[in-house]
Amino acid sequence: MGLADIKTFKHLENDVISVNRCCACGACIAYCENQAFNVIEMKNYTPQFKTDKSVENCKECGYCYYICPQTEPLLDRLKEIHLVKDEIGNIIDIFAAKTTNEQIKKVGQDGGIVSTLLTYLFDTNNIDAAIVSEYDENYKPIPKIIYSKDELVRSAGTRYSISSNILPLKDLTQIAEDIISQKKRIYDADQLRIAFIGTPCQCRAISKMKLLNIKPAHVISIVIGLFCFENFDYDKLMDTLKSKSQINPSEIKKTNIKKNFFVTSKDDSVKEVNIKDLDDAVRNHCHECDEFVGKFSDLSIGASGAPTGYSMILTRTEKGRSLIDSLLATGYIERYIIPANQISEWRPKKINWLKKMTSLKVKK
Ligand SMILES: Cc1cc2nc3c(=O)[nH]c(=O)nc-3n(C[C@H](O)[C@H](O)[C@H](O)COP(=O)(O)OP(=O)(O)OC[C@H]3O[C@@H](n4cnc5c(N)ncnc54)[C@H](O)[C@@H]3O)c2cc1C
């Protein structure tokens, strides 16, 4: 491949952004800023050149194109590395579990596994920070770097709109400085250990960066993927919820999908919105996504297939497996006990279910 063949941000604009295929993960910007090229930014969920001058200043290195989760290059190699042989990827173990932490039980979306994992990683000093998602006052998801388990309560629960979780990685120096000021500890930004939580598309971008061994993915020490059937455009979702359930964004306490879309307001009343009414609010990039459980992570976590109150956990790498083993051994989480008469059929049944959900997503 000659230099002239290298795909640049202009190609990304043509092939992904202008045709509404961008998932707004923020990988292109986080990479560009880490190289101090600083030519692109995120505006209204859309990566774009900062100024007209930025077009000339673009180094045309091509990395933004290759690490984009919506582009084809690197995917075959990624599958090889992650031992992906089918639509749900490599699975070492699959089981259901729930948190034993009473506070997380109240705020977690399902089994509270993600927040408990992060609690354990902070407690055992295995991470310096985690990238999660919080809400602003209008129930809009915002990506957030957190530095302690005390901040986990605000981030627990599922946000059914984009949270550009890779974007905060654009400024590792700031993250290191935050740690220095909060924990009074000197930190080299390149030595940070950050847990990443994200949807399958976001995990795909992190994995592409790791494959190329480029910043800022070098500071991601564990990748926790969430199951994801689809995600919604924030404005369209809120407009539909307002018209169908007369609920304002600032009044929402929790949202949940169980066949239909359920909205719990701050006075604890629950309203149900037909999921079909939200079809027009689904983000366009989700229509072409073939990942339901996410294949490129250390662990995948979701509700689908788990008994109520539990989460389904797929361990995918040795790192993911040993982390979950530690959580079980230390009592942070408890495993769902499969009834004796279902033991032999449980695993194949759950795997089939996840494959079925994946093909349903692809068909939709
Ligand atoms: C858009 C979306 C769609 C989903 N669809 C399905 C589905 O169809 N079927 C299914 O079984 N599971 C789905 N999930 C996953 C599920 O809702 C739970 O997130 C998962 O079961 C973990 O629950 P928990 O109680 O262990 O997590 P918790 O302890 O509640 O922690 C959840 C974590 O996810 C992070 N998070 C929340 N929203 C986002 C977001 N938009 N982007 C990135 N990170 C986020 C939070 O910051 C928190 O760290 C979806 C998740 C998302 C974000």
Side-chain angles (χ1 to χ4, degrees):
M1 184 169 71
L3 273 181
D5 301 319
I6 289 180
K7 303 268 192 180
T8 66
F9 187 69
K10 283 182 205 146
H11 296 98
L12 201 58
E13 282 187 319
N14 282 339
D15 297 355
V16 177
I17 300 164
S18 68
V19 288
N20 211 5
R21 294 177 57 226
C22 174
C23 64
C25 66
C28 49
I29 295 155
Y31 168 74
C32 194
E33 296 263 324
N34 269 276
Q35 306 311 309
F37 298 158
N38 298 335
V39 293
I40 48 176
E41 64 184 344
M42 186 77 85
K43 263 196 194 154
N44 196 20
Y45 302 104
T46 310
Q48 52 197 260
F49 279 118
K50 283 184 179 174
T51 61
D52 291 345
K53 192 105 186 90
S54 308
V55 184
E56 290 162 37
N57 289 342
C58 174
K59 301 282 183 271
E60 305 199 336
C61 65
Y63 279 101
C64 58
Y65 190 91
Y66 294 96
I67 60 175
C68 172
Q70 304 300 86
T71 62
E72 205 52 34
L74 307 181
L75 280 183
D76 285 345
R77 185 74 190 112
L78 215 57
K79 284 182 190 160
E80 273 170 41
I81 290 171
H82 287 265
L83 309 172
V84 173
K85 295 199 179 70
D86 62 17
E87 64 271 45
I88 56 171
N90 183 49
I91 296 173
I92 298 175
D93 201 1
I94 171 171
F95 59 93
K98 66 178 179 190
T99 185
T100 57
N101 179 312
E102 292 304 322
Q103 201 182 17
I104 295 176
K105 271 184 198 169
K106 288 187 199 135
V107 290
Q109 186 73 12
D110 300 306
I113 297 297
V114 176
S115 302
T116 309
L117 265 163
L118 296 178
T119 304
Y120 175 84
L121 290 168
F122 278 121
D123 280 350
T124 51
N125 191 26
N126 270 300
I127 52 169
D128 307 300
I131 305 182
V132 294
S133 178
E134 289 190 359
Y135 287 120
D136 72 4
E137 61 287 0
N138 287 319
Y139 209 70
K140 193 171 193 165
I142 38 168
K144 182 89 194 287
I145 302 273
I146 58 166
Y147 301 99
S148 81
K149 67 174 180 180
D150 304 335
E151 297 172 81
L152 280 168
V153 171
R154 276 205 307 275
S155 65
T158 299
R159 285 112 184 99
Y160 290 101
S161 313
I162 297 293
S163 177
S164 301
N165 275 14
I166 303 181
L167 207 52
L169 287 171
K170 69 183 181 182
D171 198 350
L172 295 184
T173 311
Q174 183 61 53
I175 298 173
E177 276 171 15
D178 286 348
I179 293 177
I180 292 167
S181 66
Q182 288 184 25
K183 298 193 174 171
K184 313 267 182 278
R185 211 166 355 129
I186 302 297
Y187 230 105
D188 174 346
D190 287 328
Q191 304 296 322
L192 287 165
R193 300 159 306 163
I194 304 182
F196 182 81
I197 321 297
T199 50
C201 48
Q202 296 174 343
C203 295
R204 197 158 66 233
I206 293 287
S207 299
K208 280 182 153 194
M209 286 196 238
K210 279 186 175 286
L211 171 62
L212 292 175
N213 207 9
I214 54 171
K215 290 181 179 186
H218 65 306
V219 297
I220 301 297
S221 56
I222 182 120
V223 180
I224 301 168
L226 305 169
F227 293 8
C228 181
F229 196 78
E230 58 198 5
N231 210 346
F232 299 92
D233 175 277
Y234 170 80
D235 291 323
K236 289 182 186 168
L237 176 65
M238 290 305 145
D239 284 350
T240 315
L241 294 185
K242 249 189 244 173
S243 71
K244 298 285 173 192
S245 71
Q246 286 73 51
I247 191 162
N248 283 314
S250 59
E251 293 161 16
I252 300 176
K253 182 171 159 191
K254 185 174 178 175
T255 48
N256 192 18
I257 298 180
K258 286 271 176 293
K259 289 200 178 107
N260 280 332
F261 198 97
F262 291 87
V263 189
T264 307
S265 53
K266 287 182 179 156
D267 64 8
D268 284 326
S269 59
V270 180
K271 293 201 169 134
E272 182 175 357
V273 176
N274 192 323
I275 197 79
K276 287 201 171 67
D277 290 337
L278 294 169
D279 273 354
D280 288 343
V282 174
R283 294 260 317 181
N284 191 56
H285 74 265
C286 301
H287 292 308
E288 61 177 60
C289 179
D290 67 353
E291 290 196 65
F292 170 60
V293 286
K295 295 178 280 222
F296 308 110
S297 56
D298 293 299
L299 296 160
S300 296
I301 298 172
S304 196
T308 307
Y310 286 82
S311 293
M312 199 61 115
I313 302 177
L314 312 183
T315 57
R316 298 192 175 281
T317 61
E318 275 310 312
K319 192 192 271 182
R321 189 195 54 77
S322 98
L323 176 59
I324 289 292
D325 281 353
S326 304
L327 265 93
L328 287 165
T330 49
Y332 277 71
I333 61 173
E334 63 190 44
R335 204 173 166 128
Y336 170 70
I337 308 292
I338 304 168
N341 60 349
Q342 294 173 22
I343 289 175
S344 61
E345 73 210 36
W346 201 87
R347 182 182 160 117
K349 215 168 145 187
K350 295 302 168 188
I351 287 182
N352 278 341
W353 171 253
L354 297 178
K355 286 186 176 172
K356 199 173 150 195
M357 287 299 291
T358 306
S359 66
L360 204 69
K361 172 168 178 165
V362 172
K363 264 188 214 142
K364 196 181 174 195

